[in-house]
């Protein structure tokens, strides 16, 4: 079996291991194995292949991993994610909405909806604003 193929298999195994660990270490080793594969395509010298693996893996661990981890882990208070991104958006009523039941459509998504205040009601086709989301229910108000 050619050496480049062994490096490619090793890279795939490292990448598969990364899926299980999610620590961004094995992914850097997968990149290093691709570096070893590149050298294996140029020469049969195993020592040069190992050096390429070590150099590329170390460079990825030192340079790329901290940046990638920061982007995945660190958040500022201004960053909104999850269902909170829907708050403030507009939706169209697809089934009459009152304080007990209803449905609204935001783009391709359809949500169970309730009015924010008792006594409010919106008919099919009305445009409303999402003011709060609790679980699967979007609370809406007039625009």
């Amino acid at each position: 079996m050619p050496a480049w193929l062994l490096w490619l298999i090793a890279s795939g195994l490292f990448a598969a291991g990364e899926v299980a660990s999610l620590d961004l270490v094995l992914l850097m080793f997968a990149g290093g194995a691709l570096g070893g594969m590149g050298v294996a395509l140029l020469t049969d010298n195993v020592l040069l292949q190992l050096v390429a693996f070590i150099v590329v893996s170390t460079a990825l661990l030192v340079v790329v991993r901290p940046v990638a981890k920061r982007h995945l882990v660190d958040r500022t208070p201004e960053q909104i994610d999850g269902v909170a991104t829907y708050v403030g958006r507009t939706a169209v009523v697809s089934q009459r909405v009152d304080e007990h039941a209803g449905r609204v459509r935001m783009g391709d998504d359809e949500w169970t909806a309730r009015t924010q205040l008792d006594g409010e009601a919106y008919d099919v086709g009305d445009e409303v604003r999402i003011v709060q989301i609790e679980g699967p229910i979007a609370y809406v108000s007039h625009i």
Side-chain angles (χ1 to χ4, degrees):
M1 186 176 295
W4 68 267
L5 185 58
L6 293 174
W7 284 110
L8 184 62
I9 291 169
S11 179
L13 291 173
F14 281 130
E18 179 61 39
V19 172
S21 73
L22 299 175
D23 197 33
L24 297 178
V25 172
L26 294 177
L27 190 61
M28 303 304 125
F29 289 154
L34 290 177
M37 181 190 78
V39 172
L41 288 170
L42 299 174
T43 180
D44 290 335
N45 188 333
V46 176
L47 184 59
L48 285 178
Q49 295 171 25
L50 287 173
V51 168
F53 170 74
I54 292 168
V55 168
V56 172
S57 294
T58 302
L60 290 173
L61 282 168
V62 171
V63 177
V64 175
R65 184 176 180 267
V67 174
K69 195 155 179 104
R70 190 175 331 117
H71 282 286
L72 291 173
V73 175
D74 293 347
R75 295 232 178 256
T76 64
E78 293 82 28
Q79 288 177 307
I80 299 173
D81 57 1
V83 295
T85 59
Y86 290 111
V87 174
R89 292 188 183 183
T90 58
V92 177
V93 175
S94 57
Q95 179 184 347
R96 188 175 193 279
V97 177
D98 58 26
E99 66 266 14
H100 302 292
R103 305 224 16 117
V104 294
R105 179 169 290 283
M106 291 178 283
D108 293 333
D109 297 330
E110 189 159 352
W111 286 72
T112 300
R114 306 285 185 272
T115 57
Q116 182 183 23
L117 303 172
D118 292 343
E120 285 184 323
Y122 303 102
D123 292 319
V124 174
D126 288 349
E127 197 169 354
V128 293
R129 183 167 313 282
I130 308 298
V131 293
Q132 179 181 356
I133 295 182
E134 286 184 10
I137 300 173
Y139 289 89
V140 298
S141 184
H142 66 283
I143 294 181

